[in-house]
Amino acid sequence: MIKIANAVISKNHKPFIIAEMSGNHNHSLERALEIVDAAAEAGAHALKLQTYTADTITIDKSDGEFFISDAKSLWKGETLYNLYKQAYTPWEWHKPIMDRCKEKGIICFSSPFDFTAVDFLEELNVPAYKIASFENIDLPLIRKVALTGKPVIVSTGMANIQEISEAVETIRSTGNEQVILLKCTSTYPASPENTNILTIPHLGQTFGCEVGLSDHTMGIGVSVASIVLGATVIEKHFTLNREDGGVDSSFSMEPAELKALVIETERAWQALGKISYGPTEKEKASLVFRRSLYVVADMKAGDVITDKNIKSIRPGLGMPPKFYDKVLGKRVNQDISRGTGLHWDMIG
């Protein structure tokens, strides 16, 4: 069990849903605050920011590996520097966004991308930290975050088992045991067939920690399915309207979808229950609607039971149908009127 602010993260509590704002504010603080309002209205438990600047995440260079030329990339034709300049959340916005979250009753924390971001977020007293997939091999950054003593959520996109192990060991070596690992596929959007959520229980078993999903697929199906596999945290990118555009808008959820995610993941969690056979307390009232053996033609004492005078029908107040073959050919010991449930004390 891990606690983030007033939220408990465990399999005994409903899934913790994180709305990732990322760059979907589109350089408008007013829009960022509207995103907070919409996330809270939809029932998300937390809003997550990203804390960096273009200069803290890359350098201003427009050729070679600093230029995005991959034809499949959403950001083809951009330089890394310009992309991050578009996507970053101004640091002076963090406090008003966090204040709005507090006002709306939603938790706010962030992903830091360098040491200065951690120091800044500590000044704001964030209740937890998130390590993004692209930073999950930055062990010095992970160590600095872990040393705050606060819960650390790590996305595992692209990381092999050794790299995940190194990240977890780095956190625990500081004495911080508050680790949550999120299965993540670092493609934007991700396809369901490339998401491999069967990894979720394996992550939990291997590292002995809470697990979840950072979900870049469209819709809510993958996230809901992950709850059945033990996910206790779901993170999805969130925007007001995909048509408004923005660096992450094309694979982000809209408010109605986020609301559905909150509702359906909680339903999936409620449905897990426990291993159970036989009627539940709520089902016992329905037992009467089972089939059972009934007399379907008036009978006199001494009459032989045949397939013409008994039948397996509803309701379930007679003897179970499994005795049908055993009672055929036997005689009844009393007069029985049509519509009476058959019982052993009527036979012989």
Side-chain angles (χ1 to χ4, degrees):
M1 182 188 80
I2 292 175
K3 197 167 185 184
I4 297 177
N6 60 351
V8 177
I9 316 298
S10 86
K11 289 180 182 175
N12 295 323
H13 292 77
K14 63 185 178 182
F16 185 67
I17 308 299
I18 304 167
E20 162 71 84
M21 183 186 296
S22 186
N24 285 326
H25 48 65
N26 295 352
H27 291 285
S28 165
L29 176 57
E30 182 181 358
R31 180 182 172 88
L33 297 177
E34 289 174 357
I35 288 175
V36 172
D37 294 348
E41 178 67 24
H45 306 107
L47 181 98
K48 194 183 76 65
L49 305 175
Q50 296 181 0
T51 308
Y52 64 85
T53 68
D55 290 302
T56 65
I57 205 167
T58 190
I59 60 172
D60 188 2
K61 199 169 188 297
S62 58
D63 57 358
E65 56 264 49
F66 295 90
F67 180 79
I68 303 170
S69 56
D70 182 358
K72 295 180 181 178
S73 173
L74 288 176
W75 307 292
K76 181 181 182 294
E78 290 280 3
T79 67
L80 290 179
Y81 190 85
N82 285 339
L83 174 63
Y84 298 128
K85 203 170 180 181
Q86 290 176 48
Y88 95 111
T89 301
W91 290 23
E92 62 270 22
W93 291 6
H94 281 53
K95 188 175 188 308
I97 290 171
M98 291 179 180
D99 288 346
R100 186 65 154 259
C101 285
K102 187 175 182 180
E103 179 188 327
K104 294 292 181 177
I106 188 172
I107 297 164
C108 189
F109 61 99
S110 188
S111 293
F113 288 79
D114 79 323
F115 282 20
T116 66
V118 179
D119 293 337
F120 172 70
L121 291 169
E122 276 298 282
E123 290 175 8
L124 294 173
N125 197 29
V126 294
Y129 286 92
K130 165 74 187 299
I131 300 296
S133 286
F134 292 89
E135 275 61 45
N136 61 32
I137 58 168
D138 190 342
L139 300 185
L141 175 63
I142 292 171
R143 177 175 173 77
K144 184 170 178 69
V145 165
L147 282 168
T148 67
K150 295 172 181 175
V152 185
I153 303 170
V154 182
S155 274
T156 61
M158 302 168 291
N160 60 39
I161 199 85
Q162 178 62 32
E163 290 165 339
I164 297 170
S165 180
E166 289 170 354
V168 172
E169 287 172 10
T170 297
I171 296 167
R172 288 177 170 161
S173 71
T174 69
N176 190 337
E177 293 291 332
Q178 301 176 89
V179 184
I180 301 171
L181 296 177
L182 304 186
K183 177 68 180 78
C184 180
T185 302
S186 296
T187 55
Y188 308 91
S191 62
E193 60 268 27
N194 197 32
T195 301
N196 300 311
I197 60 173
L198 281 176
T199 309
I200 290 172
H202 188 264
L203 273 176
Q205 292 158 11
T206 302
F207 297 103
C209 63
E210 295 295 330
V211 289
L213 178 68
S214 178
D215 185 9
H216 298 140
T217 65
M218 303 304 289
I220 67 173
V222 173
S223 288
V224 173
S226 74
I227 301 302
V228 181
L229 295 171
T232 55
V233 176
I234 302 292
E235 178 188 73
K236 291 277 271 187
H237 283 245
F238 180 61
T239 189
L240 297 175
N241 188 333
R242 280 189 290 272
E243 292 184 2
D244 292 343
V247 291
D248 295 337
S249 62
S250 64
F251 59 90
S252 296
M253 303 195 90
E254 295 180 348
E257 295 168 317
L258 180 58
K259 184 174 183 178
L261 175 71
V262 172
I263 291 169
E264 297 302 331
T265 52
E266 184 171 349
R267 282 178 177 162
W269 168 73
Q270 289 170 333
L272 290 174
K274 61 186 178 182
I275 297 171
S276 174
Y277 297 97
T280 64
E281 283 301 315
K282 293 288 187 181
E283 283 181 306
K284 285 179 180 177
S286 296
L287 288 173
V288 68
F289 300 112
R290 281 180 156 185
R291 301 177 84 90
S292 67
L293 299 182
Y294 263 75
V295 174
V296 293
D298 290 342
M299 299 182 71
K300 297 289 185 183
D303 284 352
V304 175
I305 298 173
T306 70
D307 59 5
K308 300 294 189 293
N309 53 31
I310 70 160
K311 192 174 182 181
S312 172
I313 59 172
R314 296 183 184 184
L317 300 176
M319 66 172 60
K322 66 182 179 181
F323 296 117
Y324 180 80
D325 290 337
K326 289 188 177 181
V327 300
L328 287 178
K330 295 188 181 297
R331 295 181 183 274
V332 296
N333 57 20
Q334 57 192 272
D335 293 351
I336 307 173
S337 60
R338 180 177 182 268
T340 302
L342 186 65
H343 296 281
W344 284 113
D345 60 5
M346 300 174 178
I347 300 170

